[in-house]
């Protein structure tokens, strides 16, 4: 674990999600340094031990590169936070002048050892490894798959 910066000791009540992410503890996985949200550390510890047993998405392209999103068992909604809850809010990671993601854009189902992505009939589509995922047709994911929604790219990893 790489220690948090001195900036992390400041109050973060008014910080944006990107500013908060920059203050999180960092973990190096292979050649990639990831920002691990503090509330995720406990969740990861509960799920099991050992590197490589916990699925997550890491932001590969867009503001906040290296941000990590844990995939909880069950449904993990991807989209923009609004009246409907989402587990992975893409709004802070999209360009401010163009919105690509739908409010409920896609969902990743995590059941036992299977991880499946489903596009929820989004306007701009969901892509895995540059191939469009057809709406309502579940697409199994494997480690290192790249999910693209607009300009945001997320990579499936195990930590």
């Amino acid at each position: 674990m790489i220690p948090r910066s001195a900036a992390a000791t400041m109050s973060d009540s008014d910080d944006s999600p990107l500013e908060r992410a920059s203050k999180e503890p960092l973990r190096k996985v292979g050649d990639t340094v990831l920002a691990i949200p503090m509330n995720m550390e406990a969740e990861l510890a509960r799920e099991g031990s050992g590197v490589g047993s916990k699925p997550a998405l890491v932001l590969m392209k867009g503001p906040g590169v290296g941000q990590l999103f844990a995939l909880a068992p069950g449904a993990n909604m991807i989209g923009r936070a609004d009246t409907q809850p989402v587990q992975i809010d893409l709004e802070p990671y999209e360009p401010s002048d163009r919105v690509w993601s739908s409010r409920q854009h896609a969902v990743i189902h995590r059941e036992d050892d299977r991880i499946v992505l489903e596009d929820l009939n989004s306007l701009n589509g969901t892509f895995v490894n540059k191939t469009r995922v057809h709406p309502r047709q579940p697409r199994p994911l494997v480690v290192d798959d790249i999910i693209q929604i607009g300009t945001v790219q997320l990579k499936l990893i195990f930590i």
Side-chain angles (χ1 to χ4, degrees):
M1 190 71 76
I2 300 169
R4 292 194 286 162
S5 69
T9 60
M10 296 170 36
S11 170
D12 58 7
S13 59
D14 295 329
D15 291 343
S16 73
L18 291 177
E19 290 169 321
R20 284 193 303 274
S22 69
K23 297 175 185 177
E24 301 294 352
L26 302 177
R27 176 183 289 172
K28 189 167 183 178
V29 178
D31 293 332
T32 306
V33 175
L34 306 172
I36 311 288
M38 291 174 65
N39 61 348
M40 189 183 298
E41 284 290 327
E43 178 183 335
L44 293 174
R46 276 194 310 273
E47 270 191 49
S49 59
V51 171
S53 62
K54 300 154 220 105
L57 298 176
V58 62
L59 189 63
M60 301 300 289
K61 183 178 178 187
V65 168
Q67 177 66 39
L68 194 68
F69 303 95
L71 293 177
N76 295 268
M77 191 66 63
I78 303 172
R80 291 182 286 122
D82 194 28
T83 57
Q84 300 289 328
V86 294
Q87 285 71 44
I88 302 170
D89 184 6
L90 297 181
E91 189 169 11
Y93 308 104
E94 292 189 293
S96 59
D97 62 335
R98 176 69 194 233
V99 175
W100 292 95
S101 63
S102 301
R103 286 179 178 85
Q104 291 194 328
H105 194 98
V107 63
I108 294 179
H109 297 280
R110 178 180 163 210
E111 305 294 333
D112 300 320
D113 61 346
R114 291 190 40 164
I115 300 173
V116 178
L117 172 74
E118 184 180 350
D119 181 272
L120 299 176
N121 204 25
S122 63
L123 181 63
N124 293 309
T126 303
F127 297 81
V128 175
N129 302 326
K130 299 183 181 180
T131 301
R132 189 173 188 137
V133 175
H134 296 287
R136 304 288 180 188
Q137 293 184 9
R139 174 21 171 116
L141 297 175
V142 297
V143 70
D144 293 333
D145 275 350
I146 303 288
I147 300 164
Q148 182 153 353
I149 297 173
T151 59
V152 175
Q153 289 184 353
L154 301 159
K155 182 177 184 177
L156 177 63
I157 63 169
F158 287 80
I159 54 174

